[in-house]
Amino acid sequence: MKLGRGVSWFLLAFGAWSWFIWISFVRNLTRDASGLAFDDAGAPTGYFWVHLALAVVSFVLGTLIGLIGFRSLRVLHRENDRP
């Protein structure tokens, strides 16, 4: 299957966007002062663990999607360099 240039750039941008968003989210989650992520003793709550799991899965999927876009762009670039 061959992807077009626009789709490839979209996938690469989606991967980068996923990393940006979820790094910000995890940073905010670890600094939570509202009492949702950590109880009074400072121990992580179920809310913390569920959202950390969502972030990890999103990191992995964002990375894989971004890699697909990057590899597709690399192939398209090679094809354009051929005489």
Side-chain angles (χ1 to χ4, degrees), residues 35-79:
L36 287 174
F38 300 98
D39 62 16
D40 293 335
T45 63
Y47 177 90
F48 174 84
W49 292 115
V50 166
H51 286 83
L52 184 63
L54 287 171
V56 169
V57 169
S58 294
F59 281 135
V60 171
L61 291 176
T63 300
L64 292 175
I65 290 169
L67 284 173
I68 291 168
F70 177 75
R71 290 180 61 175
S72 177
L73 284 170
R74 206 170 66 191
V75 167
L76 289 169
H77 180 71
R78 282 188 201 147
E79 288 177 354

Side-chain angles (χ1 to χ4, degrees), residues 9-47:
W9 275 109
F10 175 78
L11 294 177
L12 184 60
F14 179 85
W17 179 254
S18 292
W19 271 84
F20 173 75
I21 290 298
W22 287 102
I23 285 173
S24 299
F25 181 81
V26 169
R27 188 179 329 118
N28 291 336
L29 182 65
T30 59
R31 297 176 184 169
D32 178 56
S34 71
L36 287 174
F38 300 98
D39 62 16
D40 293 335
T45 63
Y47 177 90

